[in-house]
Structure formats: C-alpha cells, structure tokens
Amino acid sequence: MGDLVDRLLAGLPEAAVAVDVDVVAAYAHDMAGFCEAGVAAVVVFPETVEHVQHVMRTATELRVPVVPQGARTGLSGGANAVDGCIVLSMVKMNRILEIDAVNRIAVVQPGVVNAELSRAAAGYGLAYPPDPSSWESCTIGGNIGTGAGGLCCVKYGVTSEYVLGLEVVLADGQLLTTGRRTAKGVAGYDLTRLLVGSEGTLAVVVEAVVALRPAPAPQLALAAEFPSTAAASAAVCSVMASGHVPSLMELMDTTTVRAVNAMAKMGLPESTRALLLVAFDGPAKEAELAAVAELCRAAGASEVVPAEDQAESDMLLEARRLSLPAMERLGTTMIDDVAVPRSRLGEMLDGVEEIAARQRLTIGVVSHAGDGNTHPVVIFDADDPDETARAKASFDEIMALGLDLGGTVTGEHGVGLLKREWLAKELGPVGSALQRQIKAVFDPLGILNPGKAV
C-alpha cells in the first residue's frame, strides 16, 4: 500500500488522500443491506479533473481497482469498497459551473447535490425535474451512475432523459467528452445514454451537461383512501387510461402509512389499505384533480380528500418522502425496487402481500404508482438468523414476481451487488455476454468498480 499512496501523492495534495482506518471504514459502503463491503487501501477526494486522471493512471499502472462514490445514498451496494481498492469519493467536485437560461442547460460537477441544483435553477425560473427521495443529500454524479428516478417521473421522466452530455475519465486516465449542449443531436452511437446507469463500471463522470425545464407551478394534491390495493391499482389504471398526466402519483400501503404517522405524527388515515396521492401542476390542475377524484371514487375509494391549499399539498408530498426513513425505524430493512407495467401493478402488490404472509414478515410497499415502480420494504430482525433467512427469501421471491409480471429488477436504484444474479436472469445469456463485452471495451483490465452491475 505504501507504493500506491506514494504514487497517488505524487499528483495529489496530501489532504486529498486518506489512509486513516476510521476514515477508510466510513467510506466502505452505501445504504444497501445484505451487500458485502471490502476494505479499501485508501480514500481519495479529488477536486479537479486532473486529479481524477492521475488516480486512474496510477490505478492502471499498478492494477488497483477503483470504486467511484457519490453521497453513498444508494440502495444496491454499487458504491461498496472491494479489498485493496482506491475509493474515489467525488463529493468535493461540487461546483455548478454554468446555468444557461437560453439553452436551458446546466453544467455541473458530479458532487453537486440534487437539491442544490434545483434551487440554483429556480433562480432562473427553471427546474431540474429528476427528484429522488434523497434529493437533499444525493449527488448528480450518483444519480447519473444509477439512472435515478424520483417522485415526479410519471410526468417528467428519469435522469437519463436529462443528461445531454458528459465528460468522463476512462480507466487509463484519458478524458472523453460525449453528447452535446444542443437541444437535438444524433451524431454517432449514444455513449452518453450508455454511461448513464453504468454505476461507475465504464468510466468516472467528472462533468455533466443536463437539461433544465421551465419551473412548474406549485402542485395541488389529493389523497384517496382505498379498502384494497387492488382498488387503488384500478384507480391508477383508470387515471392513466383517461389521458391525465399527473405530476405525481404515489401509493402507500397501511404499513407505510402507520410508520409515517409514528415518526412524524401527520395524522394520515391508518384504517386505509392503500393511500393514493395524486398531484397536478398544470394550468387546469383544479379541474384535473376534481376529475381524478371522481375516477378514484368510481374505482372504489372510501374517501377522497383534496388538499385545501399549498401547505396541505406539501404535507402530503412530505409524507411520501418520509416513507423509507419511517420504515427504517421498524427494524432492519431490505428495500426492493421492482418496476412492472402499470396494468399489472395490482398483481404485483397482491403478490407481495402473499409473500409477506407466507414468509411471516412485515413488508410495507411504497410505489411510484404512475410508472409502475414499486418499493417493497422487507422488515426483519437482523439478529434473528431464521428471520434474516426468510427476509432474503422474500426479497428473491419479489424479484421473481416482478419478472414474471413482465417487469424489471430495478426501476431506479441500480444493480450494484444486490441484484447481479437477477440482472443475468433478466438479460439472458446473450444480453449478459454483450454487456460484459461492452465493459471490456471501456475497462479492459476490469479495474473500474469490479464485481458490480455486469
């Protein structure tokens, strides 16, 4: 390790290189459970593109693995260290380099926090729509690495739809520029789209050109209570089939609602089997919300409560953002991320309920219902070996259910370590082989985030 550190220090300031045991341990893993983490040799905090290039050249020369990291809010183990690696923490490359209101773009470094970009864009009357639940702490680089989504994807889409161009450092230290700053562009293979969601296995993002949109008006929301998840799912299908485009459509089951109440004392209706939140931000939002209220009642809603003002709407949306933190208070959590066609959302939710009963576990479900992306959260006692085994079994059963319903094993959290085996099942042997070949083109030595995703 001494030679590695010396070589790194030859091109980096001393403050950028950490070998302290406690510091190294603190950067060992992200927020995913059941994912092994190795012991890194060193943690590096680059502040310039040249720093990153020096790290990658050194790693290539010494054949040392490199694990890029953002804020480590990920839920798939994609940022977990491997033994003897360089952990490359990008959090200090955190400048917003440009906001261009005419071309509606921002140029940012990877360590910029999602919410900070949103607030900066708002000063120009613009918005950066992708909004993961962890938006106050997750970074744009991490969002790009995992292809993150968020609560407003049903109308505004996911990260990949907003990344126009990238600057990345390749495994050998070369700097590659992909994409464009223009509104349109189809020159060559779309390497930008390939790199989004690649989880640091192909290159290290050092700069991104992202699209901005005109800032929407504040959302107006309603909450609809349903006696069953099937009825709530029927309402979702009815809303989408009727041509409405809500800015948000989220579902919380009873377990989740009760957990949020226990944590934040929000007074959400605990008698409901499923609570559907729907919001609009367009010029006719009041009329659209009224129409959706009628569709919810027709689908079997026991109660539909429109927010009376902006404060009530914000409260409902905050309740949804608190879902995962609230569930974590109930025990150790294993958070799944399975997306299915909207038309099969009811089957997914009913199937998860059957799995919970069969495995004798509490499983709460929150869902980006408008795009079929479900997050079943398995609660268990990590000190109980039998319960832990049943939690792992339930996780696998949920993954299998999603594939059986024509879905995908991850809608927005990424593959990381947690879902590598399931990715292979989804892609099949031909798809898996092709992905490994692409990896080899970018990273022939296999040093970039080894053991993840592909």
Side-chain angles (χ1 to χ4, degrees), residues 403 420-433 435 453-454:
L403 290 181
R420 284 192 70 202
E421 293 180 7
W422 285 101
L423 176 66
K425 292 178 181 179
E426 179 174 333
L427 296 178
V430 175
S432 296
Q435 299 240 342
V454 296

Side-chain angles (χ1 to χ4, degrees), residues 120-431:
Y124 294 79
L126 299 171
Y128 179 67
D131 63 337
S133 294
S134 58
W135 76 309
E136 289 284 4
S137 54
C138 64
T139 62
I140 297 299
N143 294 168
I144 291 170
T146 60
L151 274 63
C152 294
C153 293
V154 61
K155 180 175 183 178
Y156 293 105
V158 296
T159 297
S160 60
E161 297 168 63
Y162 291 87
V163 181
L164 300 178
L166 294 169
E167 278 198 359
V168 300
V169 174
L170 300 176
D172 62 2
Q174 292 187 84
L175 185 64
L176 169 68
T177 300
T178 74
R180 63 193 196 280
R181 295 170 63 106
T182 55
K184 296 190 296 183
V186 293
Y189 295 128
D190 193 346
L191 297 182
T192 303
R193 196 83 164 195
L194 175 64
L195 289 164
V196 175
S198 64
E199 301 186 45
T201 62
L202 301 180
V204 181
V205 174
V206 291
E207 189 175 296
V209 180
V210 297
L212 303 176
R213 297 286 182 264
Q219 298 184 94
L220 191 62
L222 66 74
E225 303 175 41
F226 289 88
S228 68
T229 53
S233 300
V236 170
C237 292
S238 180
V239 170
M240 300 307 293
S242 298
H244 295 287
V245 186
S247 55
L248 174 145
M249 183 180 288
E250 298 288 304
L251 182 146
M252 302 162 63
D253 70 355
T254 302
T255 300
T256 307
V257 168
R258 290 178 178 175
V260 170
N261 274 345
M263 176 180 175
K265 306 296 187 293
M266 284 191 165
L268 300 175
E270 296 193 359
S271 60
T272 184
R273 290 280 291 149
L275 184 68
L276 185 65
L277 308 179
V278 184
F280 288 91
D281 60 9
K285 56 189 173 186
E286 291 85 357
E288 292 208 80
L289 213 59
V292 166
E294 289 306 311
L295 292 173
C296 287
R297 293 187 183 98
S302 54
E303 187 80 25
V304 180
V305 182
E308 292 187 0
D309 53 30
Q310 187 61 49
E312 283 194 9
S313 291
D314 291 344
M315 185 273 290
L316 290 173
L317 305 189
E318 180 63 16
R320 171 57 185 87
R321 289 191 184 276
L322 291 175
S323 294
L324 293 182
M327 295 289 282
E328 289 169 351
R329 290 161 56 97
L330 303 181
T332 303
T333 59
M334 180 180 283
I335 303 170
D336 218 327
D337 165 41
V338 178
V340 297
R342 296 185 193 102
S343 57
R344 309 201 73 176
L345 181 61
E347 295 172 77
M348 182 68 193
L349 296 171
D350 289 344
V352 170
E353 187 174 11
E354 292 170 6
I355 291 168
R358 183 167 57 252
Q359 295 292 351
R360 307 187 312 281
L361 291 168
T362 296
I363 303 179
V365 180
V366 292
S367 173
H368 306 310
D371 49 28
N373 197 168
T374 67
H375 296 306
V377 182
V378 183
I379 310 295
F380 63 100
D381 181 356
D383 294 326
D384 183 332
D386 177 66
E387 197 164 301
T388 299
R390 283 186 279 120
K392 291 181 178 179
S394 70
F395 183 89
D396 287 339
E397 288 184 34
I398 290 168
M399 302 286 281
L401 173 64
L403 290 181
D404 288 345
L405 294 175
T408 177
V409 298
T410 176
E412 57 187 7
H413 290 174
V415 174
L417 290 170
L418 194 59
K419 300 184 177 183
R420 284 192 70 202
E421 293 180 7
W422 285 101
L423 176 66
K425 292 178 181 179
E426 179 174 333
L427 296 178
V430 175

Side-chain angles (χ1 to χ4, degrees), residues 68-81:
Q69 288 185 349
R72 295 177 293 112
T73 58
L75 294 165
S76 66
N80 285 18

